[in-house]
Amino acid sequence: MNKKINIPDNLPEDLVVEILSRVPVVSLLRLGATSKTWNVLIKDGRVAKKHYDNNAPRRPRHSLIIMLIAFRVYLVSVDLHQVYNNKVKIISQFSLKDPVYNCLKEVDIRNIFHCDGLLLCTTKYNRLVVWNPCLGETMLIKPSRFYEDSDIYALGKSSCNKYKVLRINHYGYYPSVPLLLECEIYDFTSNSWRVVGKTSSWLIQEWKSCGMSVNGNTYWLANPSKDTSRDFLLGFDFSTERFTSVSLPGDHRMYDYLIALSVTREDQKLCMLARRARRPTIGDLWIATKIDSSTGAASWAKFLSLELVGKPVSFVSGINFLLDKKDNVLVCRGKPGASTYFLHVVGEDNKCIQMDHHDPKSTCSLLVNYVPSLVQINQSL
């Protein structure tokens, strides 16, 4: 028999989060519909994270990482202080079932984009699916016209907490410069696409196409279409639905190569790895302490410098990495075809981490930090 839950209105917000986090997920989702205040707390992520921590008391405080391995999504727990014998175990495999044609068949996933615990997935046969693996909910997004392999996608959120999907459609292919880029927004309210702009002034190369979501907006390393050797930081504001060029740290002319972007685990700040022009064996890692998404003005703080050579990781353009500020390290995926190690930790104590995986020949194509979400796709987007 379900018991009624009464929470006084005058309780501190942190205490309400603590109480809600101890309610079963199914009941929690129902509670969100009974109180506007509770619904906000449930949807902003704090209750989901606290709920996960409370229901995993035997696990150490760790980093939850999603890894894309052989077209499948795996949830992995990494505690850099307690990696036994340089191995980590998979917590679970998230199974994405076909939302339309065969609910029993597992879908092959080509790429994923993470935003607030939701995954935007492109499948092997060019379909687009929004997925909350924590709740097991999916939603198929139909195209305005057929999807292309060269399309670039991002899932974001406006200032009024409305989720949207951005599609950048290339007319033409790199290395030949695209004649035109057309940008579309998918509106979950109307279940339809609309064109928000066209440009031929910049392009995003294929190996840099996985953008980083920060505070609901997305950032990429892009190139001016007439100078593909020069990188700049491109941002998209999902509130204004406009692109901006984001200012780079310090005297950006000291860097000849912007290697990759990532997001800090603790406070979800954008970070960027860049190679020095005069000392190309040295890379600097910067964290954006503040970004004005409407103007592109940004403040940066240098986090660490590291040697780019002599590592089991190849620091090439678009390399996928995670930053852990507490442990002062970078976590990178293994080099495809060159190692049985899935993760490499680059910091004071360089180490390689194997993963207890059923197929040692598989390689990891992507890893992202993950925070469980209780956002209901069919009702909350």
Side-chain angles (χ1 to χ4, degrees):
M1 182 176 179
N2 293 330
K3 295 182 179 180
K4 186 176 180 180
I5 300 175
N6 294 310
I7 303 178
D9 294 333
N10 59 350
L11 288 181
E13 194 171 89
D14 289 346
L15 183 55
V16 176
V17 170
E18 180 66 37
I19 294 172
L20 292 175
S21 69
R22 297 182 182 278
V23 176
V25 172
V26 175
S27 301
L28 190 60
L29 296 175
R30 294 171 182 166
L31 284 174
T34 65
S35 167
K36 187 175 181 180
T37 301
W38 296 355
N39 192 46
V40 170
L41 293 175
I42 291 170
K43 290 171 65 175
D44 72 3
R46 284 177 292 171
V47 174
K49 185 177 186 305
K50 192 75 174 177
H51 189 278
Y52 184 89
D53 290 342
N54 288 341
N55 288 279
R58 295 182 181 179
R59 292 178 186 154
R61 298 302 177 188
H62 49 246
S63 176
L64 289 177
I65 296 175
I66 279 182
M67 303 179 73
L68 185 59
I69 305 170
F71 303 111
R72 297 291 183 267
V73 173
Y74 295 88
L75 181 64
V76 178
S77 171
V78 178
D79 185 340
L80 298 175
H81 295 292
Q82 298 183 27
V83 177
Y84 177 72
N85 199 26
N86 281 354
K87 287 188 177 182
V88 293
K89 288 188 176 182
I90 294 172
I91 294 177
S92 62
Q93 177 184 343
F94 288 145
S95 180
L96 178 59
K97 302 298 184 180
D98 192 316
V100 176
Y101 298 105
N102 186 351
C103 63
L104 299 178
K105 182 180 179 181
E106 196 164 357
V107 176
D108 287 341
I109 301 171
R110 292 178 52 199
N111 209 347
I112 56 176
F113 183 91
H114 176 249
C115 176
D116 292 347
L118 300 176
L119 302 182
L120 180 65
C121 307
T122 56
T123 72
K124 195 173 181 180
Y125 298 104
N126 284 339
R127 284 195 283 168
L128 193 63
V129 180
V130 180
W131 181 24
N132 186 335
C134 181
L135 300 180
E137 293 185 346
T138 60
M139 178 180 178
L140 179 69
I141 299 179
K142 297 180 179 179
S144 54
R145 53 187 178 276
F146 55 86
Y147 294 131
E148 300 277 2
D149 289 346
S150 59
D151 288 346
I152 295 173
Y153 299 97
L155 176 65
K157 185 172 64 175
S158 68
S159 56
C160 57
N161 289 328
K162 294 294 184 181
Y163 287 89
K164 305 175 184 179
V165 173
L166 171 69
R167 176 191 184 192
I168 304 174
N169 186 18
H170 289 68
Y171 291 94
Y173 299 91
Y174 190 81
S176 61
V177 176
L179 298 177
L180 187 68
L181 299 179
E182 183 179 79
C183 303
E184 293 180 290
I185 287 288
Y186 180 82
D187 191 324
F188 286 93
T189 304
S190 62
N191 293 324
S192 62
W193 292 92
R194 52 186 168 81
V195 176
V196 293
K198 298 180 180 181
T199 184
S200 57
S201 60
W202 51 261
L203 72 152
I204 301 174
Q205 298 172 15
E206 180 181 359
W207 48 91
K208 301 177 183 176
S209 62
C210 188
M212 291 293 127
S213 175
V214 179
N215 295 326
N217 298 319
T218 304
Y219 300 89
W220 297 267
L221 294 180
N223 302 97
S225 59
K226 295 182 180 179
D227 184 4
T228 57
S229 64
R230 182 166 62 90
D231 296 326
F232 73 97
L233 184 55
L234 178 70
F236 184 78
D237 188 321
F238 276 88
S239 296
T240 61
E241 297 182 355
R242 293 183 178 180
F243 289 95
T244 55
S245 177
V246 180
S247 61
L248 296 174
D251 184 1
H252 63 272
R253 291 172 297 180
M254 69 180 293
Y255 300 106
D256 66 345
Y257 186 30
L258 304 182
I259 299 174
L261 300 175
S262 186
V263 179
T264 58
R265 177 171 66 91
E266 298 87 350
D267 48 7
Q268 296 291 288
K269 298 288 188 182
L270 183 70
C271 49
M272 180 180 67
L273 181 62
R275 186 181 69 185
R276 296 183 190 176
R278 294 186 178 182
R279 295 186 64 188
T281 61
I282 301 295
D284 292 328
L285 186 60
W286 293 83
I287 298 176
T289 55
K290 184 178 180 181
I291 300 178
D292 187 327
S293 59
S294 60
T295 65
S299 301
W300 297 83
K302 186 186 288 189
F303 178 64
L304 59 82
S305 298
L306 68 154
E307 289 278 352
L308 299 177
V309 296
K311 306 287 185 185
V313 179
S314 179
F315 287 100
V316 296
S317 180
I319 181 177
N320 191 210
F321 73 94
L322 305 176
L323 175 65
D324 191 304
K325 291 200 298 182
K326 181 178 179 181
D327 293 295
N328 212 42
V329 296
L330 290 160
V331 181
C332 307
R333 61 185 175 90
K335 191 185 300 184
S339 174
T340 58
Y341 293 103
F342 273 74
L343 298 175
H344 298 279
V345 180
V346 182
E348 295 180 357
D349 299 318
N350 295 325
K351 69 174 88 170
C352 300
I353 299 178
Q354 287 182 318
M355 193 169 67
D356 186 8
H357 186 255
H358 63 279
D359 184 4
K361 295 182 180 179
S362 299
T363 58
C364 173
S365 58
L366 186 71
L367 62 136
V368 294
N369 282 317
Y370 177 67
V371 178
S373 169
L374 295 176
V375 171
Q376 290 180 277
I377 291 175
N378 295 321
Q379 298 180 24
S380 305
L381 294 183

